[in-house]
């Protein structure tokens, strides 16, 4: 029986609310520490994430991997989906990996008008300003162009 079938009424909605709270907590953590390297002093601030990770029921399994050059064996991480709240575990794992593997000195908030995204600036000069040149960067350049046209008239 699947997780959705086993969940009680409203349980998945409660988990969705918890996911949103977790997202906002993480957004605040990232914004607070963006622009400088993380040190072990931030461990206390990572309490909510560590408490989530402690709930995991992950395990490894050897399984068949279908590849273009034939089948082979691979070790794959699996997870027991015992409760709707376990759906938060992969999110927490991705956040923990981000905290441990990214250089927070390279994190920047997008300069786009009303954009809430944060990104890792991996450009050579660390001069990137927008989460996406195609969206926020383009909007900013269009706005600057309109302002230049208005000031000429």
């Amino acid at each position: 029986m699947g997780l959705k079938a086993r969940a009680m009424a409203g349980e998945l909605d409660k988990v969705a609310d918890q996911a949103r709270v977790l997202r906002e907590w993480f957004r605040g953590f990232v914004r607070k520490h963006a622009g400088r390297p993380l040190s072990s002093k931030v461990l206390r601030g990572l309490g909510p994430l560590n408490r989530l990770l402690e709930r995991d029921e992950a395990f490894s399994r050897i399984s068949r991997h279908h590849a273009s050059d034939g089948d082979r064996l691979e070790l794959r991480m699996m997870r027991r989906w015992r409760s709707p709240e376990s759906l938060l575990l992969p999110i927490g794992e991705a956040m923990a990996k981000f905290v441990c593997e990214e250089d927070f000195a390279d994190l920047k908030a997008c300069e786009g008008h009303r954009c809430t995204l944060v990104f890792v600036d991996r450009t050579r000069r660390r001069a990137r300003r927008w989460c996406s040149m195609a969206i926020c960067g383009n909007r900013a350049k269009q706005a600057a162009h309109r302002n230049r046209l208005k000031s000429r008239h």
Side-chain angles (χ1 to χ4, degrees), residues 102-121:
E102 292 296 343
D103 185 352
F104 269 55
D106 295 335
L107 288 182
K108 292 182 176 179
C110 180
E111 292 181 19
H113 180 68
R114 295 185 350 186
C115 184
T116 62
L117 298 180
V118 176
F119 61 90
V120 179
D121 184 359

Side-chain angles (χ1 to χ4, degrees), residues 8-108:
M8 297 179 63
E11 213 170 2
L12 292 174
D13 291 334
K14 181 181 171 188
V15 171
D17 290 340
Q18 290 174 349
R20 285 186 281 277
V21 167
L22 183 64
R23 177 193 63 205
E24 293 308 313
W25 166 82
F26 194 63
R27 179 178 284 147
F29 177 87
V30 168
R31 286 186 180 271
K32 179 179 179 181
H33 298 287
R36 59 185 185 274
L38 283 182
S39 71
S40 59
K41 293 177 183 177
V42 302
L43 276 174
R44 176 171 267 148
L46 291 169
L49 183 54
N50 279 329
R51 284 190 294 280
L52 172 63
L53 294 171
E54 289 170 0
R55 295 190 233 157
D56 202 352
E57 293 195 41
F59 60 97
S60 298
R61 173 179 284 159
I62 297 172
S63 61
R64 183 171 52 180
H65 175 73
H66 303 288
S68 59
D69 59 346
D71 289 351
R72 63 177 185 268
L73 297 178
E74 72 174 357
L75 187 62
R76 189 180 285 175
M77 286 299 298
M78 306 296 287
R79 182 169 275 118
R80 287 182 185 90
W81 302 103
R82 298 197 190 255
S83 70
E85 283 190 339
S86 65
L87 296 171
L88 295 173
L89 295 169
I91 298 168
E93 193 174 285
M95 289 175 173
K97 189 175 181 179
F98 182 82
V99 166
C100 293
E101 295 178 3
E102 292 296 343
D103 185 352
F104 269 55
D106 295 335
L107 288 182
K108 292 182 176 179

